[in-house]
Amino acid sequence: RVRAMHADGMVGAWATSQANFSVGLPGDLNCDGVADIFDIDAFVLAITSPADYDAEYPACSRALADCNGDGAADVFDIGAFVDIVTGI
């Protein structure tokens, strides 16, 4: 069940909804708990060959490659991924 909070602080009614959540650190594509240079190969695999990524990292979520937060793991995440990995 989810409940929305509006910008004015008012809380909406409870609603039942199905949602998929990714738990983890954006950019941590090898799921070792740190987003760093050791995630580069996994990131490239996630955006270029999703099936291979899923096979190589079955306990991880490709959604962690969505580093720019637009809802898609694709080449548009490269800049944000570099910022995360380099600490910018």
Side-chain angles (χ1 to χ4, degrees):
R1 290 175 28 134
V2 295
R3 189 175 223 181
M5 178 170 285
H6 304 279
D8 62 5
M10 298 296 293
V11 177
W14 284 100
T16 300
S17 177
Q18 182 173 348
N20 296 318
F21 295 93
S22 292
V23 177
L25 179 66
D28 180 20
L29 277 296
N30 65 3
C31 293
D32 66 355
V34 181
D36 56 20
I37 61 168
F38 299 109
D39 294 292
I40 294 171
D41 290 342
F43 175 80
V44 171
L45 194 60
I47 64 172
T48 61
S49 184
D52 290 337
Y53 176 83
D54 292 342
E56 182 75 22
Y57 301 95
C60 296
S61 172
R62 242 179 313 120
L64 297 175
D66 179 20
C67 296
N68 67 2
D70 69 354
D74 53 27
V75 297
F76 298 109
D77 293 293
I78 294 171
F81 175 75
V82 170
D83 290 346
I84 290 169
V85 169
T86 59
I88 293 177

